[in-house]
Amino acid sequence: MESKGWDVLVVGAGHAGVEAALAASRLGLKVLVLTSNLDRIAYMSCNPSIGGLGKGHMVKEIDALGGEMGRAADQTCIQFKRLNASKGPAVRGSRAQCDKDLYSLYMANFLRQAAGVAIGQTEVKSLLLDGQKCRGVITAEGSKIEAKTVVITTGTFMNAVMHIGMKQIAGGRVGDKATVGLSDQMRESGFKVTRLKTGTPPRLLKSSIDFSKTEAQGGDPQFVPFSFRSKAQLNLPQIQCFLSYTNEKTHEIIRRELHQSPMYCGIIEGLGPRYCPSIEDKITRFADKDRHQTFLEPEGLKSDSIYLQGISTSLPEEVQYEFLRTIPGLEQVKMIRPGYAVEYDFIEPTQIRHSLETRLIDSLFFAGQINGTSGYEEAAAQGLIAGVNAAHKVLDRPELILGRDQAYIGVLIDDLVTKGTKEPYRMMTSRAEFRLVLREDNTYERLAYLSSQMNLLDSQDSQVILDRLDRQKLLLHRLMTTQLVPSQDTQEALRSLGSSVLQKPISAEALLRRPEIRCIDLRRFNVEVDEDLPIQESVEIEVKYRGYIQRQKELIYQAKKLEDMRLPSDIDYGLVRGLSREEIEKLSAIVPRTLGQAQRISGVNPSGIQALLVYLKGRELRGAGDNAY
């Protein structure tokens, strides 16, 4: 392993680390990835799935920006579902349950074959600092490895401790050691370092489960891939999952043994994910519910391990056995591994920029759970952005910063940088105020041109996407210009579709606005429709929701006025008349890039924004230069 000459050094090879390394590699740089376990590259530590509500949007965005997560999920999918398929297009989300071993193998092979990427197995003990600039890392063996930029993607491993009942084991995951030293050095360098908690459910032995007492749950018949580079055909056989429920006897055992839960007896200090609570949390916070559902999900086609979704726990192993055996189908269950909680260090994310470079140390980037997020998709999205921006810093190119109106990735990073987090941050559609224009179906419309301009995709892939967008435009134009007349054939076709007959000629587009008419139905009126189902869906949504979409675009236009007003980085907020003490403290700590970001900081009131507007006007009149970063 060379000690010098690296452009980008990535610490960690989880979902964030892999995307960071691949992004920098695609931009032609020399990349080194350091991981403590070469057998766990892009490993699914928790549930064996990619995507979901809000998360599926980010997977498609990663794909549009050249990332690999979507294609890996498509290639290793063993059950596909479109969540909220019957609801509005803004809240639909794709989810692929994957063979976790094949997923990790796919990503490891892809990373090893990437141009300019080298992988080394070692533990990083500390950063190599030159004043306030990061120059590389120092390994456990004492080796110094120099690099122009460093991306830290340590996941849940910094000073990590696993909890099973009163038993504590150093480590961020069963079979992997904790990372010791990095977060201590960061704390000494001035970073605010805090603790978070996450957890995982027991893994069950498949042969010990009576599936006849559970409800089978199949996938969707129609597979819609995450990646434009994947065929709309499943690569692997599809499996069933199974649904069961806890009951009052289950809850009684858990309540009786809460004193043995490290969360409830004060051993764990970090907050856990509110939207993915442990079973101990569920029966305490939702005491009125007499049952909670749990999905039994196979972790792979050849695996004997069943992931018990919804039953995250850190109770002692013997207590886990006792309450699990009260659940229908699990009366004779055997555990491959008990559930456990992990407590770990994270860096308060208000200390990083939108580029994911830290504000305290130059050339140092953070991505993934080190920033307080939860989930593979959130980690991968940050990894890609950090990898691109680390590469751009080396290449002296502009930063890649996505707006809240451009991508869920933009919402994710802006929330972290502006608001921080007190619990593991999980992306949901409700976090995006412009979610009607941030749909899965229009991902490439939002990001393809940007991706092409920044060379995040090669010319061939860019052309594939641009051709697809041209086909969408062609179909929409065809619908607008094709006239349907109230002929006998037209009226009969309308009656068969349960739609009212025509009173006068209308365009195919106007007919598609009817709620009962689908894009594919237009073929019955001799209208040529593209064979590609995603193209049909995108055009149909554009037509049916045009009024709502236009109103949201007007709101985006109004919001952009504040987003376009850059705040100079040298403002002394203590000199701005009209700001409260809390506003001065918050603005000085976060250093917002724009007036729009300042508006989103908790504790900054409308009166404070007006005070900043007056200050900026006065500064402009005084002829001050724009020193915004």
Side-chain angles (χ1 to χ4, degrees):
M1 190 190 309
E2 297 175 30
S3 61
K4 294 182 179 180
W6 302 105
D7 295 311
V8 179
L9 192 158
V10 179
V11 179
H15 303 279
V18 168
E19 293 292 357
L22 292 175
S25 165
R26 286 191 296 274
L27 292 168
L29 298 191
K30 192 175 178 183
V31 183
L32 175 63
V33 180
L34 296 179
T35 176
S36 60
N37 191 340
L38 288 172
D39 295 327
R40 296 291 184 97
I41 293 174
Y43 187 73
M44 293 181 171
S45 303
C46 202
N47 76 349
S49 70
I50 298 293
L53 302 179
K55 293 169 175 280
H57 295 72
M58 287 193 295
V59 177
K60 284 185 171 285
E61 290 169 0
I62 290 166
D63 188 66
L65 295 168
E68 199 59 27
M69 174 173 267
R71 188 156 55 165
D74 293 337
Q75 292 300 309
T76 60
C77 176
I78 55 176
Q79 189 188 88
F80 174 81
K81 272 184 177 290
R82 175 69 70 85
L83 307 180
N84 281 349
S86 62
K87 296 186 178 181
V91 295
R92 297 170 194 163
S94 299
R95 180 185 186 271
Q97 186 175 335
C98 300
D99 185 307
K100 67 188 298 181
D101 292 331
L102 292 180
Y103 183 94
S104 179
L105 182 63
Y106 175 98
M107 280 299 210
N109 288 338
F110 198 90
L111 185 65
R112 290 188 178 103
Q113 294 166 16
V117 175
I119 311 172
Q121 180 167 293
T122 187
E123 183 183 348
V124 171
K125 299 298 288 186
S126 61
L127 301 174
L128 189 59
L129 300 178
D130 181 3
Q132 295 303 110
K133 186 177 180 67
C134 187
R135 298 287 189 184
V137 301
I138 302 173
T139 69
E141 298 80 19
S143 300
K144 294 181 179 180
I145 303 177
E146 297 180 14
K148 295 174 185 174
T149 56
V150 174
V151 182
I152 304 293
T153 67
T154 46
T156 62
F157 287 84
M158 290 200 306
N159 283 343
V161 177
M162 294 179 289
H163 298 265
I164 306 176
M166 299 297 105
K167 185 167 62 175
Q168 299 176 34
I169 308 162
R173 179 173 59 205
V174 166
D176 289 307
K177 298 185 300 181
T179 297
V180 179
L182 270 178
S183 57
D184 296 331
Q185 182 190 23
M186 291 173 190
R187 188 180 285 108
E188 291 169 4
S189 297
F191 287 98
K192 181 181 178 183
V193 181
T194 322
R195 300 285 275 175
L196 283 179
K197 169 259 173 188
T198 189
T200 193
R203 305 306 196 273
L204 311 180
L205 184 64
K206 185 178 181 180
S207 60
S208 70
I209 299 170
D210 183 353
F211 290 103
S212 67
K213 296 182 178 180
T214 66
E215 302 171 27
Q217 305 285 307
D220 292 350
Q222 179 66 49
F223 171 59
V224 182
F226 281 112
S227 177
F228 71 94
R229 294 165 289 187
S230 300
K231 294 180 180 179
Q233 298 171 348
L234 288 158
N235 191 45
L236 297 174
Q238 298 299 283
I239 53 92
Q240 284 190 322
C241 297
F242 300 88
L243 175 64
S244 192
Y245 295 90
T246 64
N247 51 61
E248 188 50 45
K249 191 172 182 180
T250 318
H251 302 176
E252 182 184 331
I253 294 168
I254 295 169
R255 278 193 292 265
R256 186 191 73 210
E257 302 295 341
L258 276 178
H259 66 281
Q260 296 201 66
S261 169
M263 286 180 56
Y264 282 83
C265 63
I267 293 175
I268 292 179
E269 297 175 2
L271 287 176
R274 185 167 26 128
Y275 301 101
C276 188
S278 66
I279 189 63
E280 295 97 298
D281 276 339
K282 285 180 181 179
I283 67 154
T284 303
R285 287 165 48 190
F286 310 107
D288 57 316
K289 291 189 176 293
D290 57 7
R291 68 175 189 171
H292 295 284
Q293 67 179 20
T294 177
F295 287 95
L296 286 71
E297 301 179 337
E299 294 201 310
L301 294 175
K302 297 179 180 179
S303 174
D304 291 325
S305 179
I306 298 293
Y307 178 89
L308 193 62
Q309 189 187 108
I311 308 288
S312 172
T313 181
S314 57
L315 285 164
E317 184 173 349
E318 63 274 13
V319 177
Q320 292 186 38
Y321 263 120
E322 186 180 2
F323 78 70
L324 285 174
R325 287 175 172 171
T326 66
I327 297 173
L330 306 185
E331 291 86 353
Q332 304 298 322
V333 76
K334 294 180 180 177
M335 287 190 289
I336 294 173
R337 188 175 75 226
Y340 59 92
V342 182
E343 193 176 22
Y344 58 96
D345 286 349
F346 85 105
I347 310 299
E348 173 56 50
T350 54
Q351 300 166 106
I352 58 176
R353 297 186 172 102
H354 282 79
S355 64
L356 299 185
E357 184 179 18
T358 73
R359 287 196 273 110
L360 290 177
I361 298 178
D362 188 67
S363 300
L364 177 65
F365 295 77
F366 293 158
Q369 286 174 288
I370 189 174
N371 289 333
T373 57
S374 171
Y376 313 141
E377 303 82 3
E378 291 88 344
Q382 292 173 74
L384 187 146
I385 298 299
V388 169
N389 284 322
H392 278 198
K393 190 172 185 75
V394 174
L395 297 167
D396 196 25
R397 293 180 184 172
E399 297 170 333
L400 171 60
I401 296 174
L402 299 174
R404 297 181 70 91
D405 60 318
Q406 280 182 289
Y408 270 89
I409 297 174
V411 174
L412 165 72
I413 293 174
D414 185 67
D415 276 355
L416 292 172
V417 173
T418 305
K419 302 174 184 176
T421 187
K422 302 297 183 186
E423 62 184 11
Y425 179 104
R426 178 181 179 177
M427 178 50 70
M428 297 174 290
T429 54
S430 60
R431 294 193 188 273
E433 63 271 39
F434 303 127
R435 57 185 172 273
L436 189 53
V437 299
L438 299 181
R439 309 183 308 275
E440 278 193 358
D441 69 276
N442 72 346
T443 303
Y444 301 110
E445 292 174 62
R446 292 185 273 118
L447 297 174
Y449 294 104
L450 172 67
S451 193
S452 180
Q453 288 170 0
M454 303 189 84
N455 296 317
L456 301 178
L457 290 168
D458 63 34
S459 57
Q460 184 177 351
D461 283 342
S462 288
Q463 194 57 52
V464 169
I465 293 179
L466 296 178
D467 288 347
R468 173 173 164 169
L469 295 179
D470 285 342
R471 286 164 60 191
Q472 284 182 204
K473 291 176 184 175
L474 178 62
L475 176 55
L476 185 57
H477 177 74
R478 188 182 300 132
L479 298 186
M480 294 171 70
T481 55
T482 300
Q483 288 290 308
L484 302 177
V485 297
S487 65
Q488 183 176 348
D489 288 345
T490 298
Q491 308 295 46
E492 286 180 3
L494 286 168
R495 290 189 189 99
S496 70
L497 292 168
S499 192
S500 58
V501 298
L502 298 183
Q503 302 301 319
K504 59 181 180 180
I506 63 170
S507 69
E509 182 211 20
L511 183 63
L512 185 56
R513 284 201 291 268
R514 295 184 178 186
E516 68 276 9
I517 302 295
R518 302 291 307 277
C519 195
I520 193 72
D521 296 331
L522 296 177
R523 289 180 176 173
R524 300 177 67 165
F525 303 92
N526 296 318
V527 178
E528 185 182 348
V529 175
D530 197 287
E531 295 289 337
D532 195 326
L533 290 176
I535 288 177
Q536 293 177 26
E537 180 184 50
S538 189
V539 169
E540 183 174 327
I541 290 169
E542 173 66 29
V543 169
K544 290 184 183 296
Y545 292 87
R546 180 170 292 152
Y548 300 103
I549 292 170
Q550 188 56 43
R551 279 205 290 273
Q552 192 148 103
K553 286 181 176 178
E554 290 168 3
L555 291 173
I556 290 171
Y557 175 76
Q558 295 299 322
K560 266 191 170 297
K561 292 180 181 178
L562 290 179
E563 292 299 334
D564 291 340
M565 297 186 72
R566 303 278 292 226
L567 288 170
S569 59
D570 63 349
I571 289 182
D572 181 346
Y573 288 101
L575 301 178
V576 180
R577 293 180 181 177
L579 291 179
S580 69
R581 181 173 297 178
E582 181 187 7
E583 288 170 331
I584 292 169
E585 289 176 357
K586 293 285 182 69
L587 290 164
S588 300
I590 294 171
V591 193
R593 296 174 63 250
T594 68
L595 205 59
Q597 186 192 354
Q599 189 181 41
R600 292 189 293 276
I601 296 173
S602 175
V604 176
N605 299 308
S607 59
I609 298 301
Q610 287 299 316
L612 285 173
L613 274 169
V614 171
Y615 174 84
L616 290 176
K617 278 290 183 185
R619 185 181 173 111
E620 186 181 323
L621 291 172
R622 291 192 300 272
D626 184 6
N627 298 315
Y629 74 141

